[in-house]
Amino acid sequence: MSRHTTFRYCLDPTVEQSDMLSRHAGAARFAFNQSLDFVKTALAQRKTRPAHPVPWTRFDLIKTFNTWKKTEAAGRVFTVDAAGIAEVQVTGLAWRGQVSQQVFEEAAVDCGRALAAFSDSRTGKHAGKPVGFPRFKAKAKTVPAFRIRNKPAKTGRASTRVGDQGCARSVTLPGFGAIRVREDTRRLRRMLTKGRARILYVTVAYRVRRWWISLTVEASDLHTSHHHRPRNHGDDGGWVGIDRGLTAFAVAANADGTEVARINTAPKPLAAGLDRQRRLAKSVSRKQRGSHNHQQAVAQLARHHHRVANIRRHFAHQVANQLVKTHDRLVVEDLHVAGMLGNRRLARAISDVGWADFARLLVYKQAWHGGAVTVADRWFPSSKRCSACGSLNQRLALTDRVFVCGCGFRADRDHNAAVNLALWPTIEQDFSRSPDPKQEAGLPMSADGKALTEPLWVSVKPSW
């Protein structure tokens, strides 16, 4: 079984290579807009001619663009001889030979994916928020980026190579040659040399005034020494519940009440750099739009946001690795983060911790190590339920940091929630109910069909 991962490096190109990268990014944006124009033109003609074909899939868009780029509509030159007779010379896209052919094809693929997402959203196949019809990419509002597949050359050698021509910190792209990178590429080079990884494609993007390259790699599974030991058949224990919060970033506990991890020292980079962010944002507002000083101020603000995101992402990776390497069975709750951001008092703090991204990291990292991650129901009352007797404390407020039950049980709020999450795989059937037409209409119903004043817990698909 193989896994997919990505290695990202910061490029250090020469002036000529930087111009080529900009040219390829502009070609990708042009191909996307032209492919979308094909679709809109065909839809307009279909109003008068219903049988007119519309290039909707990525294969149709690639074929249509490759045919169009050599025609007169893509480019032509008028030549006049000494007698004054003008002739039309069809050139097509005169600059198409200056960029890689794959840039055009991958841009058409992106347009096809956007159209497919729009179709799935209209038919109800797309989960999440509704997706609108694709729009043209503006040069000033679009991140310059392009994608190239790692196609083998005629000699059988890979077109994309890492650490080639005696330069360890370099990436070789077709048509560019060796481009130096700022980070160490030793880990990826070892995987490629031993045959444990294969580069699928690379994505180059320009952010915060720097060129970044992301290499998507199909790698082999981790070594067996990094896998969790397989459990015996019928062993349903060993679950560890993880409660995410603001006071404590994560609290992990077993079903027997043993606390195995507590992460209190979250960096909170957004709150720490809020004063600098306000100062940089005010500096941007004071500059004349379109001036060189305005561009520099925008770049400084973008670098600040980039640094904040990197700090948050690095901390989430560290905590996820710590939990995944020490526990083979994890339980997390399905938090409706998008809905929680509607609370204006907690929105900034919730955004600063990155709950959804942390859960995403846990899922795929645990799969790499051969473990399991279970998602508890969104409406499971992990904080209000007593982990000792199972009763609910409906009066528990957000300000109550200690859970107190009538049976005499007393524990930290986050610890109690983590224990309840660890018990979720064994009590799941007590809280999950099959969907009911009356329930779908918004009426909470009991098992005998009577209306209830309190909602039941219905299994839903995780939002992250």
Side-chain angles (χ1 to χ4, degrees), residues 165-424:
Q165 300 178 1
C167 184
R169 296 192 175 189
S170 66
V171 177
T172 303
L173 299 178
F176 291 88
I179 306 178
R180 296 184 63 89
V181 298
R182 297 177 180 268
E183 293 85 6
D184 188 12
T185 61
R186 182 181 304 175
R187 183 182 178 187
L188 178 57
R189 284 187 287 110
R190 287 180 176 178
M191 296 176 64
L192 295 174
T193 303
K194 296 180 180 180
R196 298 183 61 249
R198 180 173 63 92
I199 300 177
L200 300 179
Y201 54 87
V202 298
T203 303
V204 182
Y206 185 76
R207 293 186 176 90
V208 293
R209 289 197 171 185
R210 288 184 179 180
W211 287 101
W212 302 83
I213 183 170
S214 300
L215 298 96
T216 303
V217 176
E218 182 183 7
S220 58
D221 286 340
L222 297 177
H223 193 268
T224 54
S225 61
H226 297 283
H227 284 198
H228 296 295
R229 293 182 180 180
R231 291 182 174 269
N232 298 329
H233 181 71
D235 185 4
D236 298 333
W239 293 97
V240 175
I242 302 176
D243 179 71
R244 293 164 286 175
L246 297 177
T247 304
F249 176 77
V251 177
N254 294 326
D256 58 359
T258 304
E259 187 174 299
V260 296
R262 177 180 284 268
I263 310 298
N264 291 324
T265 57
K268 299 181 180 179
L270 179 61
L274 192 60
D275 293 340
R276 176 176 174 81
Q277 176 181 334
R278 289 172 176 169
R279 184 170 63 254
L280 293 176
K282 186 178 294 185
S283 177
V284 172
S285 63
R286 290 174 175 174
K287 303 297 187 297
Q288 184 178 359
R289 186 179 297 272
S291 64
H292 182 69
N293 290 336
H294 183 268
Q295 295 177 359
Q296 287 185 338
V298 170
Q300 291 180 355
L301 181 60
R303 281 195 294 268
H304 173 75
H305 284 297
H306 186 69
R307 181 176 180 273
V308 169
N310 286 340
I311 294 174
R312 184 185 301 117
R313 187 182 302 110
H314 179 69
F315 176 76
H317 274 283
Q318 285 183 324
V319 177
N321 288 333
Q322 175 185 348
L323 294 174
V324 165
K325 293 179 180 179
T326 54
H327 307 287
D328 60 339
R329 291 181 174 180
L330 301 176
V331 182
V332 294
E333 52 187 339
D334 179 24
L335 298 178
H336 185 31
V337 180
M340 294 181 181
L341 294 179
N343 188 337
R344 63 182 182 88
R345 299 181 182 272
L346 299 176
R348 181 186 298 168
I350 293 174
S351 301
D352 203 3
V353 294
W355 284 339
D357 191 51
F358 174 69
R360 181 185 63 86
L361 297 180
L362 283 178
V363 171
Y364 81 78
K365 287 178 181 292
Q366 188 69 289
W368 286 358
H369 291 268
V373 176
T374 299
V375 181
D377 227 15
R378 178 174 295 179
W379 305 109
F380 175 58
S382 59
S383 298
K384 296 182 178 181
R385 182 182 183 274
C386 178
S387 58
C389 64
S391 59
L392 298 181
N393 183 1
Q394 299 293 352
R395 297 183 179 180
L396 186 69
L398 291 176
T399 55
D400 298 334
R401 303 312 307 168
V402 179
F403 179 86
V404 180
C405 182
C407 65
F409 178 77
R410 183 184 181 92
D412 178 72
R413 175 196 182 102
D414 299 332
H415 175 82
N416 178 71
V419 175
N420 284 325
L421 291 174
L423 294 171
W424 166 256

